[in-house]
Amino acid sequence: MAKTEDVAFAIISAAGDGRAKVAEALKQARRGNFGEAEECLKDADEHLLKAHKLQTEELLQKEASGELQGPFNVLISHAQDYVMTGMAMKDMAVEIVNLYTQLRAK
């Protein structure tokens, strides 16, 4: 990827797609559609992994090697925040889906 801003937007997009899948998983679990919820969580994993990989390969490794030049960019901060919160949301959603599953089993 060429520009830091392009990388940031790609990370935000992938992480946002992951977060949307997490929200859909919770909605499906609330409705008792646990198979769909699990599929959404798998999809969320793929999107969040893509975002994390972009973050690592296009930002962190290049920063460490000195390739990434220029002043701090607030879009990078936003992108990293999106990845972090998306991963945290996904971890919590797994637990919530498990709780919904247990409650339905009773």
Side-chain angles (χ1 to χ4, degrees):
M1 296 210 155
K3 293 174 54 180
T4 303
E5 290 84 6
D6 294 336
V7 174
F9 282 122
I11 293 168
I12 291 165
S13 177
D17 289 344
R19 289 166 53 126
K21 286 295 184 178
V22 169
E24 181 64 24
L26 291 171
K27 185 166 109 179
Q28 293 301 327
R30 196 169 39 252
R31 292 178 176 169
N33 301 326
F34 302 115
E36 288 89 347
E38 291 297 327
E39 282 301 313
C40 287
L41 289 174
K42 286 179 189 174
D43 289 344
D45 263 341
E46 290 177 21
H47 291 292
L48 292 169
L49 180 61
K50 177 182 177 183
H52 186 263
K53 195 172 181 182
L54 281 167
Q55 177 184 15
T56 302
E57 293 174 2
E58 295 292 329
L59 296 178
L60 300 177
Q61 288 178 355
K62 288 184 178 180
E63 174 76 20
S65 70
E67 289 179 59
L68 195 61
Q69 300 295 318
F72 174 78
N73 186 321
V74 73
L75 283 174
I76 294 172
S77 177
H78 181 57
Q80 290 178 317
D81 179 54
Y82 240 55
V83 174
M84 180 190 70
T85 57
M87 290 177 156
M89 286 175 61
K90 194 259 174 188
D91 290 343
M92 293 305 300
V94 168
E95 292 301 318
I96 293 168
V97 168
N98 287 333
L99 286 171
Y100 276 125
T101 303
Q102 290 175 13
L103 288 172
R104 282 284 172 120
K106 291 185 178 189

